[in-house]
Amino acid sequence: TALTTRDFFFTRSGAMADGRGSGEAMEYDLVSIGAGSGGTRTSRMAAKAGLRVAVVELPFGLVSSKEIGGAGGTCVIRGCVPKKLLVYASSFHSEFLDSRGFGWKEGANAGFDLKALMAKKAAEIERLNGIYGRLLANSGCDYIEGYGKVLDANTVRVGLPDGSERILKTKNILIATGGRAFVPDLPGKELCVTSDEALVFDKVPETLCIVGGGYIAVEFAGIYAAMGSTVHIIYRKPLPLRGFDEECRKLVADNLEKRGIVIHAECTPKSVAKDGEMLSVNIDTPQGPQTIKANQCMFATGRKPNVDNLGLENVNLELGHNNAIKVNNILQTSVPNIWALGDVIDRVQLTPVALMEGMALVETLKGTPTEPNYDFIASAVFCQPPLATVGMTEEQAVETLSGEIDVFVETFRPMRNTLSGRDERSLMKLIVDVKSDKVLGAHMVGPDSAEILQGVAVALKCGATKTQFDSTVGIHP
């Protein structure tokens, strides 16, 4: 949809600035349903600009449900932050093993207490949840705990925890309800868990079966393998991490196996059944049916936008693929004064993207239509060792560009592995447009790849060329 300048932006009068002349007094300029990363950033910045903002969010809990959410959303409570804390915890296993090569004797025999880790992790998440609430309050937002539902284009009903209701009248509504993990329909789905539950396990499963080949699947495979589980990972494709660079995918798969994870590639789950204290995970393989015995079966096969029971049908709001809310290039839905961003629009499901979308939307709502910029978004997969990427993959460049490209690839043994004896190599890769010399993509698998590629992303965003990369003096050692 072409850029629009419809007059649904904020005014300081009490009436809706939509050309309809309703004259009805509005309590708020913006009501945001959802206090995750995108909803919080948009609401805070709008309130700091002098606008009247209310934020509606479900009560806090570590595992999400129709009644449980919390300020901070998926990223803070049951996503990026707790996942990264578990990655840090699990990475000590390889550090202890590697330390033997550097003369240390005792570390590799250290014990591990998952309950102690989970308690500290939960305390940190509760602290961050409180910070998000205070950030909203300190910005001048009204924070309302409850379930928000759209009654019409200017009305949100909030079901409060005590059973009462509150009606909010507003000029604009933002849907920022994020997404949720789910188990697909198959026999025995009720026996399975998602990443939500895997973030609160009270003991390390002796055997863990993970279904899925995306970043959540490979990250949790690394986490629990390092904590002592025998991990089986099942995915339909020949390699994990569809959409990432092919050479990176191959190296990640190699590293998974080298860290003891059992890979079942080109396999499909058929059913899960109870077998005494264990689960029988039945899969179709290229060689025929197979059963994996496991203590837990986690599905990481995708996420769904949270659009149920929001009252979107009351305004005939248009949904798209995967029931994501359809928006135009300035995050405007089919209802002109209702906006949406973040995982609920299912564009790029990354916290920094939701923050960027929120900043663009604030400018739009202030009267300057602003499109989110999705160019050169860096991302990382915290498998062990991690993968990081920014820009085009080799496959994307070949498929979409008409000119010639150069591909520069280097694999090497990290220095620390020379003494630790760890059999893992790192990979670095650049995709370059021959005509302009511009670097179109950069990819890395190896220690600290996320931090390294974040810096590279700035260079690519600025249009850096391969010549400029080559002329830069490096750090050594």
Side-chain angles (χ1 to χ4, degrees):
T1 306
L3 185 67
T4 177
T5 56
R6 297 176 191 167
D7 294 327
F8 285 88
F9 312 127
F10 291 125
T11 66
R12 295 313 304 151
S13 68
M16 184 70 181
D18 63 357
R20 293 178 292 185
S22 66
E24 183 179 2
M26 295 293 167
E27 183 180 6
Y28 293 105
D29 294 310
L30 175 69
V31 170
S32 299
I33 303 177
S37 301
T40 296
R41 175 62 63 89
T42 308
S43 302
R44 288 178 56 219
M45 295 300 107
K48 284 186 174 183
L51 307 167
R52 299 164 299 177
V53 181
V55 184
V56 182
E57 178 56 74
L58 292 168
F60 169 79
L62 293 177
V63 177
S64 65
S65 70
K66 293 180 180 178
E67 296 81 28
I68 297 296
T74 296
C75 177
V76 168
I77 301 170
R78 59 195 70 90
C80 324
V81 172
K83 179 273 303 287
K84 191 66 182 291
L85 293 175
L86 296 195
V87 169
Y88 283 138
S90 64
S91 67
F92 283 102
H93 177 258
S94 60
E95 297 282 334
F96 291 147
L97 292 176
D98 290 355
S99 71
R100 294 171 173 174
F102 293 86
W104 294 90
K105 304 291 186 183
E106 301 299 327
N109 299 316
F112 177 65
D113 186 342
L114 181 64
K115 286 186 178 180
L117 168 65
M118 289 298 185
K120 294 201 71 173
K121 185 265 294 180
E124 174 62 8
I125 300 312
E126 290 182 31
R127 185 185 73 85
L128 293 173
N129 169 253
I131 286 175
Y132 266 70
R134 290 192 292 275
L135 284 171
L136 288 165
N138 293 341
S139 299
C141 299
D142 289 344
Y143 183 76
I144 304 168
E145 192 171 86
Y147 198 104
K149 189 168 186 175
V150 177
L151 297 185
D152 61 46
N154 301 114
T155 310
V156 174
R157 181 180 68 202
V158 183
L160 302 173
D162 64 4
S164 63
E165 293 182 347
R166 180 172 171 183
I167 300 297
L168 310 178
K169 301 298 289 186
T170 180
K171 296 177 185 179
N172 291 267
I173 296 170
L174 170 63
I175 308 296
T177 48
R180 68 184 188 279
F182 72 99
V183 178
D185 288 328
L186 83 167
K189 64 177 290 186
E190 70 281 358
L191 301 171
C192 303
V193 301
T194 68
S195 55
D196 278 19
E197 292 80 17
L199 286 167
V200 295
F201 281 164
D202 60 0
K203 62 180 180 180
V204 177
E206 185 176 336
T207 304
L208 173 63
C209 186
I210 299 176
V211 181
Y215 70 93
I216 295 173
V218 299
E219 288 172 344
F220 276 84
I223 288 168
Y224 278 102
M227 290 180 180
S229 294
T230 297
V231 176
H232 296 256
I233 184 169
I234 302 162
Y235 45 82
R236 298 174 189 268
K237 300 294 183 180
L239 292 169
L241 300 175
R242 180 170 59 90
F244 288 83
D245 186 87
E246 190 85 358
E247 286 183 282
C248 294
R249 297 171 68 194
K250 290 176 181 176
L251 186 53
V252 168
D254 288 345
N255 290 338
L256 289 172
E257 289 190 306
K258 286 177 179 178
R259 296 208 177 201
I261 294 161
V262 183
I263 292 178
H264 303 268
E266 299 182 275
C267 295
T268 304
K270 303 306 291 183
S271 65
V272 180
K274 192 77 173 169
D275 185 5
E277 295 298 313
M278 303 287 284
L279 298 176
S280 292
V281 183
N282 301 304
I283 64 175
D284 278 349
T285 79
Q287 293 76 38
Q290 182 181 339
T291 298
I292 301 168
K293 300 290 186 181
N295 302 91
Q296 295 277 7
C297 180
M298 171 187 155
F299 270 77
T301 50
R303 297 176 63 83
K304 291 183 176 180
N306 280 326
V307 295
D308 295 342
N309 303 312
L310 290 178
L312 304 183
E313 68 281 359
N314 295 332
V315 290
N316 296 316
L317 192 140
E318 190 175 353
L319 302 180
H321 174 71
N322 198 28
N323 271 350
I325 294 178
K326 293 184 71 173
V327 294
N328 64 9
N329 56 327
I330 56 169
L331 304 172
Q332 188 176 44
T333 72
S334 58
V335 181
N337 67 306
I338 298 181
W339 315 80
L341 53 70
D343 288 1
V344 78
I345 67 173
D346 202 17
R347 282 185 174 173
V348 182
Q349 294 187 15
L350 294 171
T351 293
V353 172
L355 301 179
M356 176 271 294
E357 290 171 338
M359 297 303 292
L361 180 56
V362 169
E363 292 305 310
T364 294
L365 294 173
K366 286 161 61 178
T368 304
T370 302
E371 298 184 48
N373 186 331
Y374 299 99
D375 293 337
F376 295 110
I377 295 170
S379 64
V381 180
F382 292 101
C383 45
Q384 300 181 39
L387 177 157
T389 180
V390 59
M392 285 187 171
T393 66
E394 180 181 352
E395 294 74 32
Q396 289 169 338
V398 168
E399 184 177 338
T400 60
L401 299 179
S402 57
E404 188 178 353
I405 62 167
D406 278 338
V407 179
F408 299 87
V409 185
E410 186 67 50
T411 62
F412 55 93
R413 191 181 190 188
M415 181 186 288
R416 64 176 292 162
N417 289 2
T418 59
L419 294 191
S420 72
R422 180 168 294 278
D423 182 22
E424 287 176 352
R425 297 183 69 80
S426 291
L427 178 148
M428 301 188 81
K429 184 170 185 176
L430 293 179
I431 314 299
V432 179
D433 176 69
V434 171
K435 184 175 181 180
S436 67
D437 196 39
K438 282 190 175 181
V439 180
L440 305 175
H443 314 274
M444 179 177 177
V445 178
D448 303 317
S449 60
E451 286 73 15
I452 294 168
L453 264 292
Q454 181 65 85
V456 173
V458 176
L460 267 60
K461 191 80 171 179
C462 294
T465 64
K466 180 61 165 56
T467 300
Q468 290 170 327
F469 269 63
D470 293 342
S471 66
T472 301
V473 178
I475 297 171
H476 183 80

